Amino acid sequence: METTPEKLEMFYEGKAKKLYSTPDPDLVIAYFKDDATAFNAKKRGTIEDKGVINNRMSELFFTLLERSGVKTHFVRRINDREMLCKRLQIVPVETVVRNLVAGSMAKRLGREEGEQLPRPVVEYYYKNDALDDPLILGEHAIAFGWATAEELKTIDRLALRVNEILGLFLDERGILLVDFKLEFGRYHGEILLGDEICPDTCRFWDKATRKKLDKDRFRRDLGDVEEAYQEMLRRVEK
Ligand code: UDP
């Protein structure tokens, strides 16, 4: 058993996670909460054991990605709710990959939810709560210095690779990967995948029934929220 670095001060508290520094400046401890928010925190609640499920599911996905050659901030899971991660300088751009039309894309472009896209679409959003995370062009990210052109190219390539790896893995488990959001950061000059990958940040539909097994059950008051998170974990643990 490797020794776990000591948890020092909490330096960041987000909607779903708290981050703690450690004596090693290159390592942080992420603590996964049960708090759930939607619509930029205008809707709030809790999802029982969400933190435990998201921590474990992120571990499984990050391990799968690392095995497939995608570098991530994941070091190891410490316990039910804590994960040891590399400390990234986060790029303030959220990258969304879509395989089917859903959510804001359906709304913005007047398309039916569930429409299959002929090829994956990569979108960028500026990570800024005061502005409600607006959709941006890569050119905006470059113009305002949020990422360099080279970093965006890397982010695009990695996001599409993640889509292939997770899409295939989930397909084998009867799940459609509709869309998902990724965050990237810099670590000693390299771009690594950060944040978490879980039902909060992805849309997962059952392939046979198209039942939603993700945070849309909370956002849209569909019920069976906890059950959906548990069911997703069961499927990916198989
Ligand atoms: N997403 C996320 N955080 C955000 C916004 C979106 O994790 O702040 C995820 C969301 O769960 C979905 C994908 O990104 O899997 C695309 O979300 P969309 O733009 O459709 O926005 P939404 O309808 O969720 O507001």
Side-chain angles (χ1 to χ4, degrees), residues 6 20 70 77 86 110 130 135 176 206 219 234 237:
E6 190 191 346
Y20 295 86
V70 175
R77 191 166 60 81
K86 291 174 181 156
L135 177 68
L176 256 174
D206 181 273
R219 293 189 190 100
R234 268 198 299 277
E237 277 187 328

Side-chain angles (χ1 to χ4, degrees), residues 33 35 74 86 126 142 159 212 217 225-226:
K33 306 191 283 184
D35 299 351
F74 176 75
K86 291 174 181 156
Y126 177 36
I142 296 165
K212 295 178 181 14
R217 302 207 72 81
V225 183
E226 276 85 3

Side-chain angles (χ1 to χ4, degrees), residues 94 96 98 102-105 125 133 179-181 200-203 219:
E94 300 190 344
V96 167
R98 301 178 184 273
S104 73
M105 178 185 245
Y125 293 83
D133 295 352
D179 59 31
F180 58 94
K181 183 263 298 181
D200 281 6
T201 62
C202 306
R203 284 195 169 92
R219 293 189 190 100

Side-chain angles (χ1 to χ4, degrees), residues 168-181:
L168 190 63
F169 176 85
L170 290 163
D171 181 70
E172 287 166 353
R173 286 154 183 82
I175 299 291
L176 256 174
L177 179 58
V178 175
D179 59 31
F180 58 94
K181 183 263 298 181

Side-chain angles (χ1 to χ4, degrees), residues 39-59:
F39 315 115
N40 195 12
K42 288 189 259 302
K43 179 184 172 90
R44 288 171 183 277
T46 58
I47 299 171
E48 203 187 323
D49 283 342
K50 174 171 87 77
V52 178
I53 292 170
N54 288 357
N55 188 23
R56 173 77 178 128
M57 203 182 295
S58 294
E59 174 193 19

